Each structure stands twice: as C-alpha cells, then as structure tokens.
Amino acid sequence: MPEPRVVLYAPSSTAVPEVSRPVTAWRRLWDNATLRKTVIIVALALAWEGYARILDNPLLFPTLTDTLGAVVDHVRDGSLPARTWTSLRVLVVGFGSGVVLAAILTVVAINTRIGTDILETLTAMFNPLPAIALLPLALIWFGLGMGSLVFVLTHSVLWAVALNTHAGFLGVSQTQRMVGRNYELRGLRYVFLILIPAAFPSILTGLKIGWAFAWRTLIAAELVFGVSSGQGGLGWFIFENRNVLDIPAVFAGLLTVIVIGLAVENLVFRTIERRTIRRWGVQA
Amino acid sequence: MARLLEVDRCTLRYRTDRAVVTATHRVSFHVEQGDRYVLLGPSGCGKSTLLKAVGGYIMPDEGEIRIKGHPVCGAGADRMMVFQEFDQLLPWKTVLENVAFPLRAARRMSARAATEKAMHYVEKVHLTRVAHSHPHTLSGGMKQRVAIARGMAMEPDILLMDEPFAALDALTRRQMQDELLRLWDDTRFTVLFVTHSIGEAIKIGSRILLLSPHPGQVRADVEDVGQATPEVAAQLEQRIHDLLFAPAGDAGAGLPAMAEHA
C-alpha cells in the first residue's frame, strides 16, 4: 500500500499581485451618505423652485426663494425663533415625560407577569387612539396651555416607546439573560446593565417613532389652539399667517418644522446610532 | 473535606406546553479539584440540562447538587458558564470590557484592578491585538476564546462549558481543544465540559461520564482518560461508541455507575 506523500511548494519568488487596492475617489464620495442625501435635498429644492416659478401663483405655492425670504424676515423680527423655542420646550417636556413613563411601565412589565399583562392591555387600548382625539378632553382637564399639550404629547410618545422597548426586552437572547444571571446581576442592575443595552436597537427605534409622533401631535395641537401663556408655537404661527394669507410665512413655518425634524434625525439620532448600535455591530 | 461538586441522585424535569419531560433520572457523579470532567452522550441524554442545573438555572426535582458541600440555589459567579452561542459576549462591550465586566459586577473589583486582571487573561488566550475591538469584528473561535478568558479571569470554583466548540469549523475546533488543554496545564482549573463528540471527550477529558438518553441516566464512568496513547484512545473511542449505541439491557443499563478503566 503506498504511503501518503506531502509535496511542498517553495514560496513564490515573483511579486504577488496586489492583495488590496484603494477604492476610487468617486466611489468613496458616493459612499458618503450625507453627500447622497444632500444631493436629494438639493434636487427637491430645485424642483420646488422650478415648479413654483412655472405656476407663478404665490398665494397657492410660493417659490423657495420667497419662502426663504419669509424665513429671514421672521427670524429678524424674532417671531420665528420665539415660536420655535415655545414649541421645542413643550416638545421636550412631553417627550421626556412619555419616555420616563414608558421606562417605568416596561421595567415593571419585564419583572412581573401582571405588569406584562397591564402593559399589553394598555398598549392595545391606547396605542390606536390618536393623541389629537384626546385634545378636547385635555382642554377641559388642564385648560388652555402647556398642561394640555404635554398631556397629549405624553400620550403620543408613551405607547410607541413602551411597545418597542418591551418588544426589545423580550427579544434579548436567552444566552445573554443567562450571562447576566451568571454575573449575579439582579433587579434594576440587571435591567440597566444587560437588558437595556441588549435591547437598545429596539429602544432607539421606539424613541425615533415617539419623537416623530410627538412632533406631529404638537404641531397639530397648536393648529387647534396655540396660546400658551400668551404665546403660541410653530403650529400657531402657521395658522395665524394663513389667516392673513401670508402664504410664504406659512411655508416658512412648515419649512422650519421640516428642518428641525431633519436636524434631529440626522444629528441626534444618527450620532447615537453611530456611537452605539453601529459600533457594536448589532445593526448594519 | 466536602467534594468540589457533588451531583446526588439528580432528577431534572422541564415543562413544555404539553408535557413535563424528564431530562435526567437520578444521575449521580462528583467532580474533584482539577478534574476535566466531561459529560458525554447523544442528544436527549440531558447533559446540557444537567450543566444548566449545576449552573443554577434549573432546580432539580429530586436529589441535590452541592458545591463544596453547599446546595446550589440559583446562578452564581462561582460557576462561570461558557456557552456554545457566539452571542454570549455582550456586543456593546469590547473584548477587554467583556472580560473585566463580571469582575466588577460580581466580584466588586475596582475598575483598574479588573482591567489589569482582564488584560492578563486576554493575553493568556492570545487576543491582546483585539483587546479593544468589539465582539462583532471577531471570528467564532476568537469569540469563544474571549468567553473562556472571561470564565477563567473570574477564577471560579468550576468552569462550566456547554459544547463550547460545537459551532466552530473542524480546524478551529481542534486548535481550540489544544489551547484549552494548554491553559489547563497552566492553571489547573476545574472544568465540567459537555459534548456529544466522543473524540472531543477523549481529547479534553480526564474523566468521562457516559449518559444514555430518554431520560438521561448514567451509563458508564471512564476514569484516567488523560494519559491514553493514540492506540488506546482509538480503542476507547470504539468502546464508548459501542456502549452508547448498544441496545439497552446489553451492557448493564440501569445499574449504578459502572467503572471503566482505560
């Protein structure tokens, strides 16, 4: 029977062809998401300007330049920043209280079975209920002003965040739970050191959805009544200017809403994503 | 002195939606300091369940599990687990942080002492180069090495390994087995190792407990495996294979632990 033989190869003496090469500059530019999105926004702006010029009816659809002019005017006289500030303040309070309540509900839910039942029942009941539908009731309870706005905002944020956080907690792998118990982590330490970071992708999704709901609800609620301690927010700014048919100012208000939404998404959430879930490799 | 680990007539059951399944029936064995104790058996013999019970994740229905004479109640850092799954490392921590975290959480060490100790064990498993990387950038074998380093850094009474190399490719698996033995030579820790591979059991173990399935029962106890020469190991492998797959009743099934001297 023949013995197995090993035939050895000497390492190649000629130069090995390139193992890796840099990608082209054009490709690298196109890989930059910010740049790609800027291109999209510039294209949309050009389309807006072009269409408005063809239409030539500033009462129906002002041009981008008119709108930007209105933005500059209202920033100069201080009304737009003041209105934006009012809206953002209410927004932060409402969003914050919604998130805190959601955190309490889900922590109770993850630790007790009755808590889970409570959370599931409440979410099933209230999540489909539009926040705006609660506004008439809120006005009776809390009167005209910040209290009512915060109430409807909290409602709009709470269920979306709680639902996503709870789903995230339930999705934490059995292995990671066992690792946490192996480390003798119990109660809140277990929640904060294992469950929350492990469920962070879902929690972040919940926060993003909650943020969008809150922003929408706020502007809509301010369109119904804008006055809070003598001064309205962005929604009221839009409503007021529509009443005096200052359509470029209406567009300026809408543009501000959009710009703030874009800024929060791209600066705040994108930064959190980059520093957390992308770095951890739990989301592409 | 009490034995390091005693599993005393342990019956384990788990509930599914439809039935209560008996995973092991009155299994007894004991592990001494410095043993490389392997639980070997086909799927359904309850070896993983048994390991989880030692880990404190499942309470026995009957019998008792004792660590240094104290009954096990709940999971604890004196019994560190190494799982088969790659997601046992916390993805939000770097390699070094993963090893240091239990030292801080369970041993209450200072950040500096924990990091120093963690680094020492990361070096031991040759992962210094990736100490500050996140787990998702590592290969499967490297992840398992981190998990082993994490377990060893805690200096537990016993290291529990649940088929830690089963999800690795064959070449990496052999390399990891050699590395585990080298680490053992170095520090002589006690390890309880679960596997379904006869070859791996003979290579890793100094003692092997053979379990038969449905429900898991002790079939045989193989001692002094460590010194086996290749020929003896090959014979032993055949012998174990026959024992595990012989029809029940042939080789004294149901009898208490039958000693097999290799």
Side-chain angles (χ1 to χ4, degrees):
Chain A
M1 207 167 67
E3 286 270 306
R5 280 177 308 147
V6 178
V7 181
L8 284 178
Y9 282 71
S12 163
S13 54
T14 55
V16 179
E18 55 180 1
V19 179
S20 73
R21 64 173 161 207
V23 282
T24 58
W26 173 242
R27 184 67 211 230
R28 246 179 310 161
L29 222 55
W30 195 240
D31 281 344
N32 185 338
T34 320
L35 184 89
R36 288 199 311 267
K37 284 179 184 166
T38 315
V39 169
I40 293 173
I41 288 173
V42 168
L44 285 174
L46 287 176
W48 176 357
E49 183 71 23
Y51 178 69
R53 271 169 198 261
I54 293 166
L55 198 65
D56 194 24
N57 187 345
L59 264 187
L60 277 185
F61 198 78
T63 60
L64 176 62
T65 34
D66 284 352
T67 306
L68 289 178
V71 169
V72 171
D73 288 347
H74 288 281
V75 169
R76 277 223 184 106
D77 70 14
S79 60
L80 198 55
R83 299 303 175 86
T84 310
W85 174 240
T86 309
S87 285
L88 281 180
R89 227 178 39 207
V90 178
L91 189 71
V92 167
V93 175
F95 184 70
S97 60
V99 169
V100 169
L101 279 179
I104 294 171
L105 258 181
T106 37
V107 167
V108 172
I110 204 67
N111 282 312
T112 60
R113 200 158 63 171
I114 190 75
T116 312
D117 294 341
I118 291 173
L119 178 72
E120 279 173 359
T121 316
L122 287 182
T123 339
M125 280 164 64
F126 291 121
N127 199 27
L129 193 65
I132 280 300
L134 286 177
L135 193 58
L137 200 60
L139 289 176
I140 296 174
W141 287 348
F142 303 102
L144 281 174
M146 188 148 161
S148 297
L149 287 176
V150 169
F151 175 76
V152 289
L153 279 188
T154 305
H155 168 83
S156 72
V157 173
L158 170 58
W159 310 113
V161 175
L163 202 63
N164 275 284
T165 307
H166 189 62
F169 283 173
L170 294 181
V172 174
S173 82
Q174 201 55 40
T175 318
Q176 280 175 14
R177 289 165 191 274
M178 286 168 82
V179 166
R181 286 167 66 190
N182 203 172
Y183 294 176
E184 299 176 2
L185 297 170
R186 277 178 202 92
L188 281 184
R189 262 160 65 83
Y190 175 68
V191 172
F192 278 97
L193 294 174
I194 300 289
L195 285 185
I196 290 183
F200 203 68
S202 306
I203 295 176
L204 199 60
T205 306
L207 290 177
K208 277 163 103 169
I209 296 174
W211 159 259
F213 277 15
W215 199 210
R216 259 192 242 186
T217 307
L218 177 67
I219 301 300
E222 282 178 349
L223 283 172
V224 178
F225 83 103
V227 194
S228 83
S229 54
Q231 203 191 25
L234 269 176
W236 189 245
F237 177 86
I238 294 168
F239 190 70
E240 253 180 355
N241 282 302
R242 195 214 65 143
N243 284 348
V244 297
L245 283 182
D246 185 355
I247 304 303
V250 171
F251 271 70
L254 290 173
L255 194 65
T256 313
V257 172
I258 292 171
V259 167
I260 291 174
L262 276 177
V264 170
E265 167 71 32
N266 284 302
L267 298 179
V268 180
F269 285 118
R270 191 80 30 183
T271 311
I272 296 176
E273 261 175 21
R274 209 181 47 240
R275 295 219 177 140
T276 57
I277 52 184
R278 275 163 193 252
R279 210 162 134 227
W280 306 339
V282 290
Q283 193 173 69
Chain B
M1 205 186 104
R3 280 168 164 150
L4 180 66
L5 168 69
E6 273 177 293
V7 175
D8 188 11
R9 279 160 299 170
C10 195
T11 300
L12 296 169
R13 296 196 177 92
Y14 58 89
R15 243 176 61 191
T16 64
D17 284 340
R18 293 169 156 252
V20 178
V21 181
T22 304
T24 67
H25 180 68
R26 295 195 181 148
V27 169
S28 297
F29 64 93
H30 59 87
V31 178
E32 308 281 4
Q33 184 73 43
D35 272 350
R36 288 167 309 185
Y37 204 100
V38 178
L39 301 178
L40 173 66
S43 53
C45 75
K47 54 194 188 300
S48 276
T49 316
L50 208 49
L51 195 78
K52 289 200 173 83
V54 175
Y57 300 103
I58 302 169
M59 289 297 129
D61 259 32
E62 223 180 272
E64 201 174 49
I65 299 172
R66 287 183 293 269
I67 290 276
K68 292 181 169 169
H70 301 289
V72 164
C73 50
D78 54 338
R79 289 148 286 140
M80 286 297 286
M81 291 279 279
V82 176
F83 298 90
Q84 179 185 341
E85 292 82 6
F86 294 149
D87 71 344
Q88 64 184 299
L89 300 181
L90 307 177
W92 57 93
K93 290 184 182 295
T94 64
V95 166
L96 191 63
E97 286 164 355
N98 257 294
V99 180
F101 180 52
L103 292 168
R104 300 210 59 198
R107 295 266 186 272
R108 310 266 172 184
M109 282 171 79
S110 72
R112 220 172 117 189
T115 308
E116 255 167 41
K117 189 158 193 187
M119 200 63 211
H120 174 71
Y121 280 94
V122 168
E123 276 163 18
K124 253 189 197 304
V125 295
H126 306 300
L127 289 176
T128 323
R129 201 169 46 82
V130 293
H132 298 285
S133 308
H134 281 88
H136 73 102
T137 59
L138 270 53
S139 68
M142 286 158 108
K143 285 180 189 165
Q144 294 312 80
R145 263 144 70 191
V146 178
I148 292 170
R150 170 172 79 179
M152 287 176 64
M154 290 288 283
E155 288 162 6
D157 291 334
I158 186 165
L159 194 60
L160 307 175
M161 304 181 93
D162 188 5
E163 306 197 34
F165 308 144
L168 299 173
D169 63 89
L171 286 176
T172 315
R173 192 180 312 143
R174 281 183 66 168
Q175 208 184 340
M176 294 291 295
Q177 290 163 352
D178 292 334
E179 204 164 313
L180 184 70
L181 288 176
R182 191 180 50 70
L183 288 169
W184 184 85
D185 270 334
D186 211 24
T187 42
R188 307 269 161 160
F189 51 91
T190 314
V191 56
L192 183 60
F193 191 104
V194 163
T195 180
H196 59 253
S197 150
I198 301 175
E200 184 168 72
I202 293 172
K203 186 162 180 188
I204 294 287
S206 61
R207 272 183 93 167
I208 302 174
L209 191 76
L210 295 189
L211 296 163
S212 59
H214 308 301
Q217 276 173 302
V218 175
R219 176 80 185 198
D221 185 356
V222 193
E223 291 169 352
D224 300 323
V225 185
Q227 291 87 352
T229 59
E231 293 80 50
V232 178
Q235 278 170 17
L236 185 60
E237 190 162 339
Q238 189 56 48
R239 184 80 203 277
I240 290 174
H241 182 272
D242 293 345
L243 270 171
L244 285 178
F245 295 102
D250 263 19
L255 290 177
M258 180 182 80
E260 283 281 329
H261 291 277

